[in-house]
Amino acid sequence: MTRAKPQLIKTNTQVPLTIAVTAVDENGQLQEKYVACERPLTVYLNWRPIVTLMTLGARAEALALGYLKNQGFINDVSQLESVIVDWDVASAAVITREQTEDLDAKLADKTVTTGCGQGTVFGGFMEGLGDIVLPQPKLKQSMLYSLLKNISEYNQTYKNAGAVHGCGLCEADKIKSFVEDVGRHNAVDTLAGEMWLEQDRGDNKIFYTTGRLTSEMVIKVAKMGIPVLLSRSGVTQMGLELAQKLGITMVARAKGRHFLVYNGADNIEFDASNPR
């Protein structure tokens, strides 16, 4: 029997990701440029407001689902009834039959974080980490180079306007889904929401991000069941410690034909030579 997906209701869905503006360059000349849009989105759970996120708004329904799932507010995809996105009032409402009576306790326990575009995690965020067991896939250096080359074709909003982060779900060197947002955690939550809704597996995937690898990023990727984390940016001490504890292969400072393996170097087959 096929599981019924929640009803998705959208109104006024065509929000722009960038807008044209006029700027003055270093020579005093007018230039038409584009800037990334940033708009508030209030996420509701069973009509109770949970958080207001600043977002581009490209895939608001997946963002809302991924945020609530990653923060531990909801866990049972089969209990979802609907997701209602209404940009007229800048809201995304998730309706579920799952028990949510413990919201007060979870909302009261919060931590201010480094997350751009979010900055707070709630009480359920750390739940279940001890139960996560990730595989240890072997990766070829040549495949990583191919993936980095392929992913350079994405980041369209960044290329057009800058000021955003991008995240991608990858299988080997193929990009299965890619999303950009003003905060890297919005981007990872959007992909997490899509994976959760589709009940897609994570053990065969690589997670790519343009953002730094903090503790939050590592935890979210682990919750998605993804064993490999690849970033164009750097790592933090707590992010590295969690990757070591959870068994995530962590590759950072990755661009072109350069990368640094901070954890899981035994899983990398160095099969491509670089000129000195």
Side-chain angles (χ1 to χ4, degrees), residues 15-17 36-39 54-58 87 157 164 180-182:
V15 291
L17 303 185
C37 294
E38 183 181 15
R39 51 182 59 86
M54 301 307 297
T55 177
L56 283 181
W87 282 114
T157 302
V164 298
E180 293 175 287
D181 213 315
V182 290

Side-chain angles (χ1 to χ4, degrees), residues 5-8 46 77-83 94-97:
K5 291 184 179 180
Q7 184 181 16
L8 177 58
N46 288 345
V77 70
S78 68
Q79 296 299 302
L80 291 173
E81 290 190 349
S82 61
V83 183
V94 175
I95 310 302
T96 180
R97 296 183 298 275

Side-chain angles (χ1 to χ4, degrees), residues 73-258:
F73 290 113
I74 53 177
N75 292 289
D76 191 346
V77 70
S78 68
Q79 296 299 302
L80 291 173
E81 290 190 349
S82 61
V83 183
I84 305 166
V85 177
D86 187 350
W87 282 114
D88 290 330
V89 292
S91 69
V94 175
I95 310 302
T96 180
R97 296 183 298 275
E98 193 173 345
Q99 296 297 319
T100 58
E101 283 78 7
D102 59 347
L103 281 181
D104 286 333
K106 288 182 176 179
L107 288 169
D109 181 11
K110 60 184 179 181
T111 302
V112 177
T113 75
T114 63
C116 53
Q118 289 185 8
T120 303
V121 296
F122 293 99
F125 184 63
M126 302 291 286
E127 291 178 1
L129 286 184
D131 300 325
I132 295 174
V133 178
L134 297 172
Q136 298 296 303
K138 301 300 181 182
L139 308 171
K140 289 187 175 183
Q141 177 186 9
S142 56
M143 184 277 293
L144 290 175
Y145 287 158
S146 179
L147 172 57
L148 290 171
K149 180 180 179 181
N150 291 339
I151 215 157
S152 68
E153 301 300 319
Y154 291 77
N155 296 309
Q156 292 305 310
T157 302
Y158 179 81
K159 292 174 183 176
N160 191 29
V164 298
H165 282 294
C167 290
L169 285 176
C170 313
E171 293 180 10
D173 63 351
K174 303 296 189 295
I175 296 86
K176 296 299 183 180
S177 186
F178 192 89
V179 66
E180 293 175 287
D181 213 315
V182 290
R184 67 190 188 279
H185 287 283
N186 287 345
V188 66
D189 283 344
T190 299
L191 293 177
E194 289 181 349
M195 274 189 67
W196 186 52
L197 193 58
E198 297 296 330
Q199 290 293 278
D200 195 9
R201 55 189 285 204
D203 63 307
N204 64 337
K205 290 183 174 57
I206 297 169
F207 194 94
Y208 172 83
T209 178
T210 59
R212 61 192 181 274
L213 301 183
T214 63
S215 57
E216 298 162 82
M217 185 66 72
V218 172
I219 290 169
K220 287 182 178 183
V221 169
K223 285 184 173 183
M224 296 163 75
I226 298 176
V228 182
L229 191 47
L230 176 65
S231 173
R232 190 176 67 189
S233 188
V235 308
T236 68
Q237 163 259 333
M238 192 170 180
L240 176 56
E241 289 179 356
L242 279 168
Q244 293 167 338
K245 181 177 180 180
L246 293 167
I248 290 178
T249 298
M250 177 182 276
V251 184
R253 299 291 186 184
K255 189 175 182 180
R257 295 179 68 84
H258 173 74

Side-chain angles (χ1 to χ4, degrees), residues 54-75:
M54 301 307 297
T55 177
L56 283 181
R59 281 131 76 175
E61 66 283 356
L63 171 58
L65 285 171
Y67 180 86
L68 292 173
K69 170 65 167 59
N70 278 335
Q71 295 291 338
F73 290 113
I74 53 177
N75 292 289

